[in-house]
Amino acid sequence: MPGTLGDPSSLDAKRQIILRYARAAFISEGYAGARIEPIAREAGVSTATLYALFAGKSELFTAVIDDAADQFSRQMASVRAQEGDARTQLTSFSEAYAGFMGDGFVRSVFRLVMAERPRFEATARRFFEKGRTEFGATLIGILKDHLARGGLKDVEKPSWAAGELMGMIEHPVFFVPLVTGDEVRAGRTNAQVVAHVVDTFMARYGA
């Protein structure tokens, strides 16, 4: 019967609603401060329904982080460079990456994962590795393509060069506001950061 707890579509809808409110609770109150009963109430389900879908708070937290990682993966899938020479493609990728890493919601999830890493080591490792692998793979592909086409040179290891470019973007748009609680922001716009990063990268590796 549609609309019952046993209906798969109903179960998935309830699960997503619970995850949304649980994520907000964990971000604002931390793992220790978040409580199951208020999460269920905000999500509009009974605690019995919540426990039928998640065995306990630790399982709910793990599901929240895995769901956030999946959401980020969908966003990452759209980060593709436009056609063009090495500078054009690197600029396109870097603008998308800076936009993603500069998003306040992305930082809030990263803060949560870092804060709870000692308690959820495997979950945190899975979260970080997923993001690094998926973004890094896209950029490494761009670098290898332009090495083959002659648009780049002296890239001994594309993975190292990709890490250098991403790191130059991450510091001003992600790490500075991450560690300062967003109270200190880069004095440059994302576009200015990207222009400087690509200039620096091309000065080192441009053909």
Side-chain angles (χ1 to χ4, degrees):
M1 222 178 128
T4 65
L5 187 59
D7 177 34
S9 62
S10 175
L11 281 172
D12 186 62
K14 290 177 187 294
R15 188 177 188 277
Q16 290 304 313
I17 292 170
I18 292 168
L19 288 174
R20 184 167 71 246
Y21 284 100
R23 183 165 62 188
F26 286 130
I27 287 174
S28 63
E29 301 169 36
Y31 177 80
R35 294 170 52 236
I36 291 294
E37 292 78 9
I39 291 172
R41 186 167 57 249
E42 289 291 324
V45 301
S46 67
T47 53
T49 295
L50 190 151
Y51 280 118
L53 294 169
F54 306 97
K57 189 162 76 166
S58 63
E59 288 80 1
L60 179 58
F61 181 85
T62 296
V64 162
I65 300 307
D66 287 342
D67 182 69
D70 288 341
Q71 179 180 333
F72 291 167
S73 291
R74 290 191 292 273
Q75 291 177 251
M76 291 173 192
S78 67
V79 176
R80 297 290 182 269
Q82 66 187 58
E83 290 301 315
D85 60 15
R87 179 179 290 274
T88 298
Q89 287 207 306
L90 291 174
T91 299
S92 176
F93 173 89
S94 298
E95 287 173 345
Y97 189 60
F100 177 80
M101 296 304 289
D103 185 273
F105 169 68
V106 172
R107 283 195 301 276
S108 68
V109 174
F110 269 83
R111 285 193 188 100
L112 176 62
V113 175
M114 289 190 299
E116 303 300 339
R117 183 168 186 161
R119 195 193 311 256
F120 295 94
E121 179 69 28
T123 301
R125 188 182 305 114
R126 188 164 62 247
F127 177 82
F128 290 125
E129 287 298 323
K130 188 178 183 71
R132 183 174 66 179
T133 299
E134 294 189 10
F135 259 133
T138 297
L139 180 55
I140 289 169
I142 293 170
L143 299 181
K144 287 181 176 179
D145 178 53
H146 286 288
L147 276 169
R149 291 161 57 182
L152 295 173
K153 64 180 182 180
D154 300 330
V155 181
E156 180 181 354
K157 282 188 173 291
S159 60
W160 292 358
E164 291 169 6
L165 186 143
M166 293 167 73
M168 286 191 288
I169 294 169
E170 289 163 5
H171 181 266
V173 306
F174 177 75
F175 285 112
V176 169
L178 181 75
V179 300
T180 60
D182 295 325
E183 294 171 5
V184 176
R185 304 297 299 274
R188 297 173 291 167
T189 65
N190 282 1
Q192 290 172 323
V193 169
V194 166
H196 177 75
V197 166
V198 174
D199 281 347
T200 302
F201 191 87
M202 292 301 293
R204 170 65 180 84
Y205 296 113

